Amino acid sequence: MNSRLKSVKVGISTLALALLTLTASAQQEEHKNPNVRMGQKALLDGDFKSAVTHLKKALPAEANDPHVLYLLGYSQFQSADFKESAKTFGQVIALDGKNANAYYYRAKAKNIQAVDKDSKLTIAEKEQLLTSAIEDYSKAININNKDVKLYQNRAIAYRDLGILKGTEGAEGYNKQVATDAYTKAVADFEKVLSFDASRKDIQTELKKAKVYRDLLK
């Protein structure tokens, strides 16, 4: 899980900066709810657990404010409470259906749950989480098709689905589903390289996805 958590934080610096900008702006406006203000301060200080505590206290008064809910979902995500984070970002999406970043974080939270080695989820539940994550990434891409991280993370979700369904002899094994998942992962990794062909990490992931797919044949 530690290596997964490390990988989670890779590539989100731009989003984090945008989030902090949003929070700083909100602070300048002095949100009327003191719990929101304390939550914003804790978030800026990197104390995500305290941010969660304060922002939860701001509910239900701020339950219809997508910005407050976004801060809560982000703080839950950084606190590794991925199940609750996914739920909170779902609330953000219900209020702001064009928030690509909310789809992105909800998808990542679902993906992390699905591949957690200590998880007690069934194969069917893991498959549902990965399928749902892929759907969220696709919705985010429909909103912002220039955001490379969306293709990259959707590729990872497809790859993880391929691994889940493509382990011969394991429960839920389905060669066709795994093949399709790897093929779509390949397409998304190639899309990432169309933005930046020098990405060695993506070149490696692309080769691995092709190998995994070919070994199924």
Side-chain angles (χ1 to χ4, degrees):
M1 187 66 176
N2 286 339
S3 61
R4 170 59 60 174
L5 286 176
K6 286 181 181 178
S7 67
V8 165
K9 296 186 178 181
V10 174
I12 66 170
S13 58
T14 301
L15 270 181
L17 179 60
L19 178 66
L20 295 179
T21 300
L22 170 65
T23 307
S25 174
Q27 279 187 318
Q28 289 174 0
E29 296 172 5
E30 283 298 314
H31 198 287
K32 65 182 183 300
N33 191 314
N35 283 306
V36 173
R37 295 198 299 270
M38 287 188 286
Q40 290 169 335
K41 183 180 184 305
L43 193 155
L44 286 168
D45 290 340
D47 186 354
F48 298 110
K49 290 186 181 297
S50 292
V52 169
T53 298
H54 292 305
L55 291 166
K56 277 187 173 181
K57 288 179 181 179
L59 306 178
E62 309 300 334
N64 292 319
D65 187 334
H67 300 297
V68 173
L69 290 169
Y70 187 97
L71 296 178
L72 174 59
Y74 180 83
S75 298
Q76 290 168 326
F77 184 93
Q78 294 295 352
S79 299
D81 191 351
F82 301 113
K83 185 175 182 180
E84 287 303 310
S85 177
K87 288 181 182 178
T88 302
F89 279 117
Q91 293 175 291
V92 176
I93 290 165
L95 294 168
D96 180 9
K98 295 297 184 182
N99 192 323
N101 287 342
Y103 281 112
Y104 167 80
Y105 274 113
R106 185 169 72 168
K108 283 188 75 73
K110 291 174 181 176
N111 200 154
I112 292 167
Q113 292 178 73
V115 300
D116 180 5
K117 290 182 173 59
D118 297 324
S119 171
K120 292 180 170 49
L121 295 173
T122 66
I123 295 297
E125 289 170 332
K126 292 178 179 180
E127 181 178 0
Q128 195 280 327
L129 281 170
L130 287 170
T131 301
S132 182
I134 290 165
E135 290 172 354
D136 278 348
Y137 285 129
S138 297
K139 289 174 182 176
I141 288 169
N142 286 337
I143 296 168
N144 182 6
N145 63 11
K146 302 298 184 184
D147 192 341
V148 65
K149 75 176 180 299
L150 299 176
Y151 297 99
Q152 178 176 336
N153 282 276
R154 188 173 67 174
I156 291 169
Y158 275 128
R159 180 206 62 195
D160 289 341
L161 179 59
I163 292 171
L164 181 71
K165 302 298 288 183
T167 304
E168 190 170 4
E171 179 187 352
Y173 172 73
N174 187 313
K175 181 179 178 180
Q176 187 57 54
V177 171
T179 300
D180 290 344
Y182 283 130
T183 297
K184 290 174 180 175
V186 166
D188 273 346
F189 283 132
E190 289 175 339
K191 181 69 174 180
V192 174
L193 290 174
S194 75
F195 285 90
D196 182 359
S198 68
R199 291 279 303 273
K200 299 294 184 183
D201 58 330
I202 300 303
Q203 292 173 19
T204 299
E205 290 299 330
L206 174 60
K207 290 177 183 177
K208 285 162 57 177
K210 288 180 176 179
V211 170
Y212 294 156
R213 181 186 61 187
D214 293 344
L215 287 174
L216 293 169
K217 298 178 180 178

